[in-house]
Amino acid sequence: MDLTYTVLIPLIPLFMFLFLGLNYKRIKEPLSGYIGTAGLLITALLSFYTAYQYFFDYGKVDEVYQKIYAFNTVWIHFTESLHIDMGVLLDPISAVMLIVVPLISLMVHFYSIGYMHKEPGFTRFYAYLSLFTFSMLGLVLATNLFQIYIFWELVGVSSYLLIGYYYEKPSAILAAKKAFIVTRFADFGFLVGILMISYYAQTFDFKILNDLDFINNLKMQTGIFMGLSVITVALVLIFIGGAGKSAMFPLHIWLPDAMEGPTPVSALIHAATMVVAGVYLVARLFPMFYFFDDGFALHVVAWTGAFTTFFAAIIAFTHTI
């Protein structure tokens, strides 16, 4: 079955961003809202169709869901095994996110037509929404670690633009800077972790990295650092990037200030897209998290998440308005 049409899923929001962004002075509300929403509606329908086809048609072989490259092309070539690709990976995790991300974003697009009525920069707002949706879809469909990192950073840029939408308010500018800087610190750990894994594994490819035979071979080839496998250290560093995006302790400090953006932005970032990206990252590399050093990195994830939940609950009990 030809699945190359799936590249349109992220490319349509990208086109909407470029079209609305380049014509923001010529296209006024509510037309820009209708255009942006119509484009995302097409993306959502394609996403739902792809997810349905995957789960009920071509995705399962012998009762096991397969990892399918709907599209893949080499972008930067280093060695025969180490190269940065751009593509679309379909598996149960990405197929579920193909339902979640476009659905939440589509609802935000619809709601914003009325909510953002008469707001200055209405067209600019819809251009930013399209950029954010493009970045999130590129992230969840990534075939390799470096592709997910590229879109990870684009999510950070688009969230900065959305949180700082009211750029005439000093508090909004400070909130956008805070979110951007905190997540950039976290993403530095993510990048170092990617480079460490690529050095030892000689691949960025998720399909290879999550293969159990490959993991067993990699265990015997990697060194030890402070009593842990170097890959485990790399996984913890990658998780730091996820903790930044998901606002886990101690990188949670940007999230309350992110409410300075319009309310639909808070719904988009906090509900089921950007904040879920950290969880998605761990799920994408789950076999590596589980099998290296008896799941030490996975325990770090669990304890960090548990403490963050407890900490947030204590804050909620004591917070006054």
Side-chain angles (χ1 to χ4, degrees):
M1 183 175 182
D2 185 14
L3 299 173
T4 53
Y5 74 88
T6 54
V7 298
L8 295 174
I9 293 173
L11 288 181
I12 291 173
L14 175 61
F15 174 77
M16 290 294 108
F17 163 67
L18 294 173
F19 180 73
L20 293 175
L22 293 173
N23 296 281
Y24 76 99
K25 289 186 178 180
R26 289 190 287 271
I27 302 176
K28 305 298 181 182
E29 72 162 301
L31 180 59
S32 55
Y34 296 148
I35 293 173
T37 305
L40 193 62
L41 179 61
I42 296 171
T43 295
L45 292 174
L46 281 174
S47 300
F48 300 158
Y49 173 74
T50 302
Y52 177 85
Q53 289 287 93
Y54 179 82
F55 283 120
F56 298 103
D57 188 5
Y58 55 77
K60 188 181 287 187
V61 176
D62 296 328
E63 299 304 312
V64 177
Y65 286 109
Q66 305 295 307
K67 286 183 170 61
I68 300 172
Y69 287 153
F71 174 80
N72 198 52
T73 183
V74 176
W75 180 40
I76 301 176
H77 186 276
F78 298 113
T79 67
E80 285 302 314
S81 60
L82 187 63
H83 41 81
I84 301 174
D85 297 355
M86 286 291 171
V88 174
L89 173 63
L90 294 178
D91 67 352
I93 308 173
S94 61
V96 167
M97 293 302 286
L98 276 180
I99 299 171
V100 174
V101 174
L103 180 62
I104 298 295
S105 186
L106 182 62
M107 289 191 291
V108 169
H109 273 70
F110 272 121
Y111 181 73
S112 298
I113 293 175
Y115 186 88
M116 300 297 290
H117 178 54
K118 292 186 179 180
E119 284 278 1
F122 183 91
T123 301
R124 174 169 56 89
F125 177 78
Y126 269 88
Y128 293 166
L129 284 184
S130 297
L131 176 63
F132 186 92
T133 308
F134 160 69
S135 305
M136 274 302 304
L137 288 171
L139 188 155
V140 301
L141 293 173
T143 62
N144 60 87
L145 264 174
F146 219 96
Q147 183 183 344
I148 205 173
Y149 180 76
I150 292 169
F151 284 98
W152 191 272
E153 294 305 311
L154 282 173
V155 168
V157 171
S158 49
S159 64
Y160 169 82
L161 295 172
L162 286 167
I163 293 169
Y165 173 76
Y166 297 118
Y167 60 86
E168 294 178 349
K169 288 175 58 180
S171 57
I173 292 300
L174 290 174
K177 288 180 179 178
K178 189 175 185 179
F180 190 77
I181 292 170
V182 170
T183 52
R184 291 297 72 70
F185 273 111
D187 293 350
F188 177 72
F190 186 10
L191 178 59
V192 173
I194 290 174
L195 296 176
M196 289 172 68
I197 286 181
S198 67
Y199 178 80
Y200 285 97
Q202 286 297 300
T203 184
F204 296 115
D205 194 287
F206 286 132
K207 197 171 182 179
I208 299 173
L209 289 173
N210 289 324
D211 181 76
L212 296 186
D213 292 333
F214 181 81
I215 290 174
N216 288 328
N217 290 331
L218 192 58
K219 282 181 180 180
M220 297 182 288
Q221 297 172 9
T222 52
I224 303 297
F225 179 74
M226 296 181 66
L228 296 172
S229 167
V230 175
I231 298 297
T232 299
V233 176
L235 291 171
V236 172
L237 288 170
I238 287 175
F239 169 65
I240 290 173
K245 276 283 191 290
S246 293
M248 293 185 182
F249 182 88
L251 300 168
H252 64 286
I253 56 175
W254 66 268
L255 192 58
D257 297 314
M259 296 293 181
E260 285 291 339
T263 299
V265 171
S266 299
L268 187 65
I269 291 176
H270 304 161
T273 50
M274 177 176 168
V275 172
V276 177
V279 182
Y280 176 81
L281 179 62
V282 175
R284 174 54 71 204
L285 292 171
F286 185 81
M288 297 190 78
F289 274 90
Y290 184 84
F291 285 108
F292 274 93
D293 288 320
D294 297 321
F296 178 88
L298 204 58
H299 282 85
V300 172
V301 174
W303 281 108
T304 304
F307 181 80
T308 301
T309 304
F310 177 76
F311 183 71
I314 295 299
I315 292 174
F317 271 123
T318 58
H319 181 68
T320 56
I321 298 175

